[in-house]
Amino acid sequence: MYHSEPPLRLKAGDLEAIEECPASAGPGSKLPRAALDRWLAVRYALEEALSNGGDVDAAVGSNAGWLDPVQRELVTGLVASGVILLGTSDAEVLFDPDDNVVVVDHPELNVELASYLQIDVTDPHDPGKLERFKIKTGKQGTSDAEAAILLSGSDTGVGFADLMLRDGTIEPIELTDAEREKELERLHDLAGRERNLKDRRPGWQCYRCDRVARCGQYPAPDGYKVGTRQRTIRVSKSDVVRLDACHRRIAWKVLHVIPSDAGDEVGPAAAVGLLFHEAIANILVAEDREAAFAAELDRVSRDDRDVLETLFERHKQIEADHVPVQYKLTEYPVGATFILPGLDADRDGNVSDGAAVAVTAIARTDAVGRELDDTPAVIEHRTGKTSDRIDERETALYAVSVARLLGAEAVAVHQHSLGGDGDPECIRILYDEDALTEAEQLLASVLEPIATWHPLDATDPAYTVGEWCTGCPYQERCERFRS
Ligand code: SF4
Ligand code: SF4
């Protein structure tokens, strides 16, 4: 089919994001780009290190000298890993080859699917053999969708691989023909779908989406519109609560995107909690709750079944004794964006103050619904000890978020304490207009320091050592950079 305009170039990740939430297709705001900046530093330093005889420190110094010691250590480790992977043979290594993008046309639409490569390696003893690499600095390798583009848009005989610098491995990018065709069909189908920026589908994807402060799911106050160039920092409810312990831990996670010392593991207590939360999410909105409960029991082990049965019985007891709620949605993310005075940085690394920084706090509710008089309600289930209650900042965040999202003048937050040995308990907190105003002020004061954290320097903010360090994923790295 003939088109007069050049084709729209789409990446697999963009299409998959639109599949999860069509509203994510629009322009976002300026979220932290530390991981991308480090990736760029690694890419250029690796090229230099491969041509300067493997002097990694010199290469990092000239390409990433502006980085603070914490991030420079990360970059140095990744570049050293790349030198070991690529620098020990006599192969020819070419960065950013002219044809560094593989494209696949859409059969009808004026779009092309694209995937980018950074390095070509040719074997001087076998010049016809070409290996093409993607540089990966995180845990994730190339997705099947991207692999389908690469393998469909290239000559046979060309090999593709991920240069996994964090693990120090080279992982081939491979798919069977059937897998490749299936993925390509899926991508073509996604490319042909209509974009609807009003079709918001909030979920875990909101923690990756750069429209988080702009799509309307996590509104700013009084109809304020966050701009596309406005510095934005996204935090979770747990981050908000942890702010009273150590700011560095939160900044490393949400702003500087520092990898943890080890992989994330779920402890036994949390595992029981997750199991129940997942089960109750399905049960509460089911038409036939008993049938849904039976189906959930079938999915779990005998030991877990006893725990689930106990927790579910205790939940029913709470429902029988307290203000009834008609559940609408479960595991539904709510949140709010606060506009706070702070720092910003331009693309050249110049930092200025006086910026209006958007800080978006997201809280995943266990359930949302309405009380009988139509008051919006948020339900939080606690499966730990009964004393393990959510605190004022959590309930404030639920209430403010739902009030802003629905334009409500009052919101009820129900805390269901289901664990422990005592009777199950529901604590209902009603946020009326005055309480909502106080909750807004509380959250703004708790979140205010975030806007003043240095946008680029991971040695800011300061660390605070305390009992909380035991559960911190950065203990080893933090200890190395204390002064
Ligand atoms: S933040 Fe969430 S709801 Fe909003 S556009 Fe992104 S993915 Fe969709
Ligand atoms: S180890 Fe302690 S001081 Fe260091 S970042 Fe973690 S919580 Fe903060």
Side-chain angles (χ1 to χ4, degrees), residues 266-277 307 311 383-385 388:
V266 181
V272 168
L274 284 180
L275 189 72
F276 174 74
H277 281 81
V307 177
L311 290 172
T383 53
K385 297 188 181 102
D388 175 26

Side-chain angles (χ1 to χ4, degrees), residues 21 23-24 200-202 205-206 209 211-212 215 217-218:
C21 175
S24 69
R200 293 195 309 252
R201 298 184 197 165
Q205 57 273 18
C206 299
C209 176
R211 295 207 73 222
V212 71
C215 75
Q217 181 67 22
Y218 310 108

Side-chain angles (χ1 to χ4, degrees), residues 5 45 54 79 82 115 131 134 147 171 185 224 229 262 274 277 293 303 310 331 334 344 397 401 420 430 434 453 478:
E5 298 291 320
V79 174
S115 182
E131 282 264 56
K134 279 178 172 289
E171 301 295 338
E185 194 178 325
Y224 182 100
R229 295 185 182 174
L274 284 180
H277 281 81
F293 180 54
D303 287 350
T310 305
E331 298 192 319
V334 297
D344 198 0
L397 181 56
S401 304
L430 181 67
D434 288 344
W453 291 346
C478 173

Side-chain angles (χ1 to χ4, degrees), residues 19 65 77 85 97 104 159 192 222 226 277 334 336 354 358 430:
E19 182 180 31
L85 290 173
V104 178
D222 308 321
V226 173
H277 281 81
V334 297
L430 181 67

Side-chain angles (χ1 to χ4, degrees), residues 33-45 56-57 59-79 137 255-258 347-349 454-460 481:
R33 42 171 282 148
L36 175 59
D37 285 341
R38 287 200 301 271
W39 184 92
L40 287 167
V42 167
R43 179 250 170 270
Y44 287 104
V56 172
D57 287 337
V60 172
S62 56
N63 290 282
W66 51 274
L67 283 175
D68 58 78
V70 180
Q71 297 191 78
R72 199 181 312 179
E73 182 191 71
L74 284 168
V75 168
T76 301
L78 294 165
V79 174
T137 53
L255 177 57
H256 304 299
V257 201
I258 305 292
R347 294 300 282 263
D348 297 325
H454 196 287
L456 307 171
D457 184 353
T459 61
D460 181 81
F481 291 98

Side-chain angles (χ1 to χ4, degrees), residues 145-455:
E146 264 193 291
I149 298 173
L150 290 173
L151 297 167
S152 303
S154 302
D155 298 333
T156 50
V158 178
F160 294 96
D162 284 326
L163 203 58
M164 303 298 292
L165 298 180
R166 187 165 157 176
D167 301 337
T169 58
I170 290 176
E171 301 295 338
I173 299 172
E174 294 169 331
L175 288 180
T176 64
D177 282 350
E179 289 167 337
R180 181 181 59 75
E181 278 165 26
K182 192 171 157 211
E183 280 297 325
L184 211 55
E185 194 178 325
R186 187 171 73 89
L187 290 175
H188 279 150
D189 172 55
L190 289 171
R193 286 194 198 168
E194 267 189 38
R195 308 279 186 274
N196 180 359
L197 294 186
K198 293 197 172 139
D199 185 1
R200 293 195 309 252
R201 298 184 197 165
W204 291 116
Q205 57 273 18
C206 299
Y207 290 89
R208 300 187 299 270
C209 176
D210 63 5
R211 295 207 73 222
V212 71
R214 285 174 50 82
C215 75
Q217 181 67 22
Y218 310 108
D222 308 321
Y224 182 100
K225 300 274 182 230
V226 173
T228 51
R229 295 185 182 174
Q230 195 159 351
R231 185 185 181 205
T232 302
I233 301 170
R234 164 183 32 219
V235 290
S236 70
K237 181 187 68 177
S238 323
D239 299 329
V240 174
V241 173
R242 288 196 179 114
L243 278 170
D244 64 3
C246 172
H247 283 199
R248 178 164 295 182
R249 173 178 177 174
I250 309 304
W252 277 14
K253 177 186 160 202
V254 304
L255 177 57
H256 304 299
V257 201
I258 305 292
S260 62
D261 293 337
D264 300 326
E265 284 189 13
V266 181
V272 168
L274 284 180
L275 189 72
F276 174 74
H277 281 81
E278 199 179 304
I280 197 93
N282 296 330
I283 294 164
L284 287 182
V285 288
E287 277 186 24
D288 182 343
R289 280 199 189 180
E290 292 302 328
F293 180 54
E296 291 301 323
L297 287 183
D298 276 350
R299 295 196 309 136
V300 300
S301 70
R302 177 158 289 284
D303 287 350
D304 289 339
R305 202 175 287 181
D306 292 343
V307 177
L308 267 193
E309 276 178 329
T310 305
L311 290 172
F312 191 54
E313 276 310 311
R314 288 166 74 82
H315 189 267
K316 282 205 280 193
Q317 206 177 321
I318 283 180
E319 285 193 310
D321 296 344
H322 294 87
V323 177
V325 173
Q326 192 178 9
Y327 300 102
K328 303 273 189 205
L329 295 162
T330 52
E331 298 192 319
Y332 186 69
V334 297
T337 297
F338 294 79
I339 309 303
L340 301 164
L343 302 178
D344 198 0
D346 64 19
R347 294 300 282 263
D348 297 325
N350 302 309
V351 176
S352 56
D353 59 12
V357 180
V359 178
T360 301
I362 303 180
R364 195 171 165 89
T365 65
D366 288 329
V368 288
R370 297 263 179 184
E371 294 182 346
L372 292 184
D373 66 357
D374 219 30
T375 303
V378 177
I379 293 85
E380 170 83 2
H381 296 124
R382 310 297 284 181
T383 53
K385 297 188 181 102
T386 44
S387 58
D388 175 26
R389 290 189 186 135
I390 53 178
D391 74 15
E392 201 185 354
R393 293 156 298 183
E394 287 184 308
T395 53
L397 181 56
Y398 288 138
V400 166
S401 304
V402 171
R404 285 195 196 170
L405 189 64
L406 302 179
E409 289 178 357
V411 176
V413 179
H414 295 230
Q415 304 173 31
H416 291 176
S417 294
L418 303 165
D421 300 326
D423 285 339
E425 196 180 4
C426 170
I427 299 171
R428 174 179 177 268
I429 306 169
L430 181 67
Y431 282 84
D432 59 14
E433 248 180 300
D434 288 344
L436 282 170
T437 305
E438 280 175 28
E440 291 263 6
Q441 288 163 353
L442 170 73
L443 290 169
S445 68
V446 169
L447 298 173
E448 202 167 15
I450 294 176
T452 66
W453 291 346
H454 196 287

